[in-house]
Each structure stands twice: as C-alpha cells, then as structure tokens.
Amino acid sequence: IHSRIFARAFIVFDQSSNKRVVILSADIWSCTQAVKMEVIKRLESLYGNDLYTIDNVLLSGTHTHSGPGGYSHYALYNLSILGFDKQNFECIVNGMIEAIKRAHENLAPGKIFINNGNVEDCGNNRSPIAYEQNPSAEKAKYSGNTDKEMLLIKFVKNNGKEIGCINWYAIHPTNRGNKNRRITGDNKGHASYLFEKEKGTNIQEKETFIAAFANSNCGDISGNVKYGIPDLVHDFERMREFGEKQFSNAKELYSSASTQLTGSVDYRHTHIDFSK
C-alpha cells in the first residue's frame, strides 16, 4: 500500500419533499453493478426499503488504475486478476456502507454553495487524431481538445461547521502507470489527501471534514501524455504534480464559493439495454 483508499459520502435531504440523495465517490476504478446491488441490499437491511434505494444512491469511482480489482460479477472486468476477489469486494462494500452510515448519522440543516473554474495544464488528450475527426461546428464550441472545467460544491452546516466538498474534474488517475504494484488513489487520491490534511481531517472522529475529488468525463484525458509512458522512477512526482494542481484549484474554488444552491432535491436513474 502506498496510500490508503477511501469512500467519501454526502447525503442531501430535502425536508419539504422528503427526498434525499446519496453522492459517494470512492478511490476505485469504477462502481460495478455487483457493488451497487450489494450496497443497496445492505442499506435496505439497515434503514428499510424506502430510504436509500437503487434510484437515489449514486456511487462512483475516481477511476484510479492502482486499486485492487476483481469486484465485478462480469468475467471481463475480473480478467486482470484472474477472477472474483471476495475479500476486496467485501472491503469496498463495507467501506461504502460505513461512509453512508456516517453521513446519515451526521445529517443536520445546512447550506450548499457552488463554484467552477478551469484547471490548466492538468491532462492532455491521448487521441488528438481521433478528436480532430469531430465536426468543425462541434470543435468550435470549445477552446481546446480537453475539458478543463472543475465544478465544486461546498457543504456548510447552519452552525457554521464546514462539512466538506466534492468536485468533478476530468482526468485519468494513471500517473503511477501500469507497472506500479502498490495501492494508491493516484492523482485524485493525492489531491484529497492534501485538502484533508490542510483541514485537519481525522477519520477516527464521528464527524470530520472530507474532500472528494470525483471524476468527470475523463474519456481520453490522461496525465501521462505530457511525459510519455510511466517509468517507475518519476511516477510519484508526476502523480503529485497533477494532484497538487487539482488540490490548489479546488482550494481556491472552495474559498471563493459564494453562490448558494437553492430549490428542491431530485434524482434520475435508468437502465439501458445495451444488447439492443
């Protein structure tokens, strides 16, 4: 283990409509269907069938490529480690349940603020030739061939206590490379570490500040293109570079977030039949 990996959860509850939504970002490759269904099953055993459901629990992975695998029920996704790993599956599910339970137990009236800005020189398009095949009208909408926007929401209780924040920025956490054999949250995990260290986070406490660096439309945006193939020599420094850029931008957006989100809470969830 180079750095521990975490699940970070927020719950937003609208008292007027009695609707709530869970937003969870975990330092894993992706949330598989197997994990989602098991998390919902265990939440229903804790809170009943109506509070936290497949519709209003949103689970996502930061997409780190340096996390343990084998936690899908589809063979294709388990090929890299030659099968399903029940120990890792249980670790991920239990961590998510614990994060959601803590968020549930710490619910209190509060405010949400939103901010956004661009993060420069933090990821390059790994397929620029493919990008150039887009129609000119499509490319004209953007200033470059990657999405540079970071969107951040900040949570503060009415008593002034800062709960934490979650932001979305598009980049593959692949700086450690495919030769790395140590568990790490890569650039996004490092960004969370820096933010939480500055805020004095203590995960042993009942309630503490959390900073989630979730992924966005990362597509072809990679931290490795700038430097070429990871070499196991400079990978840590490059991970730190891209983590620090995300952290410093998130810190600025957090500090200057003054636009309050208002209105009701709602969510959408659907299944798509890919066989058709």
Side-chain angles (χ1 to χ4, degrees):
I1 296 174
H2 177 260
S3 58
R4 295 196 177 276
I5 54 180
F6 295 94
R8 297 174 172 90
F10 303 90
I11 298 174
V12 182
F13 175 44
D14 181 357
Q15 290 179 291
S16 60
S17 67
N18 214 32
K19 286 188 174 183
R20 65 182 66 203
V21 62
V22 176
I23 306 171
L24 182 147
S25 176
D27 294 319
I28 56 176
W29 156 71
S30 179
C31 178
T32 65
Q33 184 184 15
V35 167
K36 174 75 180 270
M37 302 312 291
E38 187 62 25
V39 166
I40 298 303
K41 177 182 174 182
R42 297 187 191 185
L43 288 174
E44 288 178 346
S45 71
L46 288 169
Y47 303 108
N49 295 334
D50 301 323
L51 206 59
Y52 300 113
T53 69
I54 193 171
D55 295 326
N56 69 348
V57 175
L58 314 179
L59 308 177
S60 69
T62 61
H63 200 52
T64 176
H65 287 221
S66 294
Y71 57 94
S72 174
H73 285 166
Y74 292 106
L76 177 65
Y77 295 128
N78 296 333
L79 277 177
S80 63
I81 70 158
L82 305 179
F84 181 74
D85 187 324
K86 184 169 176 59
Q87 183 183 30
N88 188 37
F89 177 82
E90 286 292 326
C91 180
I92 290 170
V93 170
N94 288 335
M96 289 182 173
I97 292 293
E98 179 64 25
I100 294 169
K101 280 175 61 180
R102 287 198 188 189
H104 176 86
E105 292 163 2
N106 288 318
L107 279 168
K111 298 180 177 66
I112 301 174
F113 299 92
I114 188 167
N115 205 357
N116 68 303
N118 284 352
V119 185
E120 300 296 338
D121 192 24
C122 188
N124 297 76
N125 193 312
R126 62 188 178 187
S127 300
I129 296 174
Y131 181 83
E132 288 303 317
Q133 303 305 308
N134 285 304
S136 297
E138 171 73 16
K139 292 184 289 184
K141 297 177 182 178
Y142 311 106
S143 60
N145 63 8
T146 62
D147 186 353
K148 294 181 173 63
E149 183 189 48
M150 175 179 282
L151 177 70
L152 178 141
I153 53 178
K154 171 181 179 179
F155 301 91
V156 183
K157 289 189 175 181
N158 283 348
N159 63 7
K161 183 172 184 177
E162 298 180 9
I163 298 169
C165 62
I166 181 170
N167 69 71
W168 292 266
Y169 180 72
I171 186 173
H172 276 252
T174 52
N175 289 119
R176 297 302 293 272
N178 58 2
K179 294 180 180 179
N180 172 55
R181 292 184 175 271
R182 292 189 177 184
I183 295 169
T184 170
D186 210 280
N187 55 58
K188 287 191 175 291
H190 188 64
S192 287
Y193 162 77
L194 292 172
F195 209 137
E196 290 172 351
K197 182 181 179 183
E198 180 157 305
K199 289 292 187 178
T201 298
N202 181 359
I203 62 169
Q204 305 304 324
E205 295 178 355
K206 181 178 179 292
E207 181 180 27
T208 192
F209 185 96
I210 59 172
F213 283 72
N215 222 324
S216 181
N217 49 314
C218 56
D220 275 322
I221 306 174
S222 173
N224 294 336
V225 177
K226 180 178 178 180
Y227 294 112
I229 298 172
D231 57 12
L232 276 178
V233 177
H234 305 93
D235 302 347
F236 176 78
E237 287 301 317
R238 292 164 186 173
M239 176 198 79
R240 191 165 70 175
E241 174 190 344
F242 287 95
E244 287 177 350
K245 284 179 180 177
Q246 290 176 76
F247 159 65
S248 61
N249 279 268
K251 179 182 174 183
E252 170 58 31
L253 293 175
Y254 183 89
S255 300
S256 60
S258 58
T259 301
Q260 185 177 345
L261 281 181
T262 58
S264 59
V265 170
D266 213 339
Y267 44 84
R268 298 290 185 270
H269 180 275
T270 188
H271 284 96
I272 303 297
D273 184 355
F274 269 38
S275 69
K276 299 177 181 177

